[in-house]
Coordinates of all heavy atoms in Angstrom, one line a residue:
Chain N
E29 N 116.7 73.7 116.3 CA 117.9 73.0 115.7 C 118.6 72.3 116.8 O 119.0 73.0 117.8 CB 118.8 74.0 114.9 CG 118.1 74.6 113.8 CD 118.7 75.9 113.3 OE1 119.8 76.3 113.6 OE2 118.0 76.7 112.5
D30 N 118.8 71.0 116.8 CA 119.5 70.2 117.8 C 118.8 70.2 119.1 O 119.4 69.8 120.1 CB 121.0 70.7 117.9 CG 121.7 70.6 116.6 OD1 121.9 69.5 116.1 OD2 122.1 71.7 116.0
I58 N 117.2 73.3 109.7 CA 117.9 74.5 109.8 C 117.3 75.6 108.9 O 117.7 75.9 107.8 CB 119.4 74.3 109.5 CG1 120.0 73.3 110.4 CG2 120.2 75.6 109.8 CD1 121.4 72.9 110.1
E60 N 115.4 79.1 110.2 CA 114.8 79.9 111.3 C 113.5 80.5 111.0 O 112.6 80.7 111.8 CB 115.8 80.9 111.8 CG 117.1 80.3 112.4 CD 118.1 79.8 111.5 OE1 118.0 80.0 110.2 OE2 119.1 79.1 111.9
Q82 N 119.2 78.8 117.8 CA 120.4 78.3 118.4 C 121.3 79.4 118.9 O 121.9 79.2 120.0 CB 121.1 77.4 117.4 CG 122.2 76.5 118.0 CD 122.5 75.4 117.0 OE1 123.4 75.6 116.2 NE2 121.9 74.3 117.1
F83 N 121.5 80.4 118.1 CA 122.2 81.6 118.6 C 121.4 82.8 118.1 O 120.9 82.8 117.0 CB 123.6 81.7 118.0 CG 124.6 80.8 118.6 CD1 124.7 79.5 118.1 CD2 125.5 81.2 119.6 CE1 125.6 78.6 118.7 CE2 126.4 80.3 120.2 CZ 126.5 79.0 119.7
Y86 N 121.5 84.1 114.7 CA 120.8 83.4 113.6 C 119.3 83.6 113.6 O 118.6 82.9 112.9 CB 121.2 81.9 113.7 CG 122.7 81.6 113.7 CD1 123.2 80.7 114.6 CD2 123.5 82.4 112.9 CE1 124.6 80.4 114.6 CE2 124.9 82.2 113.0 CZ 125.4 81.2 113.8 OH 126.8 81.1 113.9
P89 N 117.1 85.2 109.7 CA 116.3 84.6 108.7 C 114.9 84.6 109.1 O 114.0 84.5 108.3 CB 116.9 83.2 108.5 CG 118.3 83.4 108.9 CD 118.3 84.4 110.1
Chain C
M106 N 137.4 73.4 113.5 CA 136.5 72.5 112.7 C 137.3 71.7 111.7 O 137.9 72.2 110.9 CB 135.4 73.3 112.0 CG 134.5 74.1 112.9 SD 133.4 75.1 111.9 CE 131.9 74.1 112.2
E111 N 135.9 64.2 104.5 CA 135.3 65.0 103.4 C 136.4 65.6 102.6 O 136.1 66.6 101.8 CB 134.4 66.0 103.9 CG 133.3 65.5 104.8 CD 132.5 66.6 105.4 OE1 132.3 67.7 104.8 OE2 132.0 66.3 106.6
Y132 N 132.5 76.3 106.0 CA 133.6 76.1 106.9 C 134.3 74.8 106.9 O 135.2 74.4 107.7 CB 133.2 76.4 108.4 CG 131.9 75.7 108.7 CD1 131.9 74.3 108.8 CD2 130.7 76.4 108.8 CE1 130.7 73.6 109.1 CE2 129.5 75.7 109.0 CZ 129.5 74.3 109.1 OH 128.3 73.7 109.3
R133 N 133.9 73.9 106.0 CA 134.5 72.6 105.9 C 135.1 72.2 104.6 O 135.3 71.1 104.2 CB 133.4 71.5 106.3 CG 133.9 70.5 107.3 CD 132.9 69.4 107.7 NE 131.8 69.9 108.5 CZ 131.9 70.0 109.8 NH1 133.1 69.8 110.4 NH2 130.9 70.4 110.6
G181 N 129.9 82.9 109.0 CA 129.4 81.9 110.1 C 127.9 81.6 109.9 O 127.5 80.7 110.6
N182 N 127.3 82.4 109.1 CA 125.8 82.2 108.9 C 125.6 81.3 107.8 O 126.1 81.5 106.7 CB 125.2 83.5 108.7 CG 125.4 84.5 109.8 OD1 126.5 84.9 110.0 ND2 124.3 84.8 110.5
L183 N 124.9 80.2 108.0 CA 124.7 79.2 107.1 C 123.9 79.6 105.8 O 122.9 80.3 105.9 CB 124.0 77.9 107.7 CG 124.7 77.3 108.9 CD1 123.8 76.2 109.5 CD2 126.0 76.7 108.4
I210 N 127.5 74.1 100.6 CA 126.8 74.2 101.9 C 126.6 72.7 102.3 O 126.9 71.8 101.5 CB 125.4 74.8 101.8 CG1 124.6 74.1 100.7 CG2 125.5 76.3 101.4 CD1 123.1 74.4 100.8
G211 N 126.1 72.5 103.5 CA 125.9 71.2 104.0 C 124.5 70.7 103.8 O 123.6 71.5 103.4
D212 N 124.2 69.4 104.1 CA 122.9 68.9 104.0 C 122.0 69.7 104.9 O 120.8 70.0 104.4 CB 122.9 67.4 104.4 CG 123.7 67.2 105.8 OD1 124.9 67.5 105.8 OD2 123.1 66.7 106.7
G213 N 122.3 69.9 106.1 CA 121.5 70.7 107.0 C 121.2 72.1 106.5 O 120.0 72.5 106.5
S214 N 122.2 72.7 106.0 CA 122.0 74.1 105.5 C 121.1 74.2 104.3 O 120.6 75.3 104.0 CB 123.4 74.6 105.1 OG 124.3 74.6 106.2
S215 N 120.9 73.1 103.6 CA 120.0 73.1 102.4 C 118.6 73.4 102.8 O 117.8 73.8 102.0 CB 120.1 71.8 101.6 OG 119.3 70.8 102.3
E217 N 117.7 76.0 104.6 CA 117.5 77.4 104.8 C 116.9 78.1 103.5 O 117.0 77.6 102.4 CB 118.9 78.1 104.9 CG 119.6 77.9 106.3 CD 118.9 78.8 107.4 OE1 117.9 79.4 107.2 OE2 119.6 78.8 108.5
V239 N 127.0 69.4 100.4 CA 127.9 68.3 100.9 C 127.0 67.6 102.0 O 126.8 68.0 103.1 CB 129.1 68.9 101.6 CG1 130.0 67.8 102.1 CG2 129.8 69.9 100.6
N241 N 127.0 65.2 104.3 CA 127.9 64.4 105.2 C 127.1 63.7 106.3 O 127.6 63.3 107.4 CB 129.0 65.3 105.8 CG 128.5 66.3 106.7 OD1 127.3 66.4 107.0 ND2 129.4 67.2 107.2
W243 N 125.2 64.5 108.7 CA 125.0 65.1 109.9 C 125.0 66.7 109.9 O 125.8 67.2 109.1 CB 126.0 64.7 111.0 CG 125.7 63.2 111.4 CD1 126.3 62.1 110.8 CD2 124.7 62.7 112.3 NE1 125.8 61.0 111.3 CE2 124.8 61.3 112.2 CE3 123.8 63.3 113.1 CZ2 124.0 60.5 113.0 CZ3 122.9 62.5 113.8 CH2 123.1 61.1 113.8
A244 N 124.2 67.3 110.7 CA 124.2 68.7 110.9 C 124.2 68.9 112.4 O 123.3 68.7 113.1 CB 122.9 69.4 110.3
I245 N 125.4 69.2 112.9 CA 125.7 69.0 114.3 C 125.1 67.6 114.8 O 125.5 66.6 114.3 CB 125.3 70.2 115.2 CG1 125.8 71.5 114.5 CG2 125.8 70.1 116.6 CD1 125.4 72.8 115.4
R307 N 130.6 62.8 107.7 CA 131.4 63.7 108.6 C 132.0 62.8 109.7 O 131.4 62.4 110.6 CB 130.5 64.7 109.3 CG 131.3 65.9 110.0 CD 130.4 66.6 111.0 NE 130.3 65.9 112.2 CZ 129.2 66.0 113.0 NH1 128.2 66.8 112.7 NH2 129.2 65.3 114.1
H311 N 131.4 67.7 114.9 CA 131.0 68.9 114.2 C 132.1 70.0 114.3 O 132.5 70.6 113.3 CB 129.7 69.5 114.7 CG 129.3 70.9 114.1 ND1 129.0 71.0 112.8 CD2 129.3 72.1 114.6 CE1 128.7 72.3 112.6 NE2 129.0 72.9 113.7
Ligands
TPP502 C1 121.7 80.7 110.1 C2 122.4 79.7 110.9 N1 121.6 78.9 111.7 C3 122.3 78.1 112.6 C4 123.6 78.0 112.7 C5 124.3 77.1 113.7 N2 125.0 75.9 113.0 C6 126.3 76.0 112.7 S1 126.8 74.7 111.8 C7 125.2 74.0 111.9 C8 125.0 72.6 111.3 C9 125.2 72.7 109.8 O1 125.1 71.4 109.2 P1 125.4 71.1 107.7 O2 124.8 72.2 106.8 O3 125.0 69.7 107.4 O4 127.0 71.3 107.5 P2 128.1 70.4 108.2 O5 128.4 71.0 109.6 O6 127.7 69.0 108.3 O7 129.3 70.5 107.3 C10 124.4 74.8 112.6 C11 122.9 74.5 112.9 C12 124.3 78.9 111.8 N3 125.7 78.9 111.8 N4 123.7 79.7 111.0

Side-chain angles (χ1 to χ4, degrees):
Chain N
E29 297 158 17
D30 302 294
I58 304 176
E60 292 78 10
Q82 197 164 85
F83 285 84
Y86 306 140
Chain C
M106 298 179 103
E111 303 171 34
Y132 45 71
R133 227 180 284 282
N182 301 67
L183 298 173
I210 58 167
D212 47 301
S214 301
S215 74
E217 287 284 10
V239 185
N241 64 4
W243 290 95
I245 312 185
R307 194 196 77 207
H311 171 72

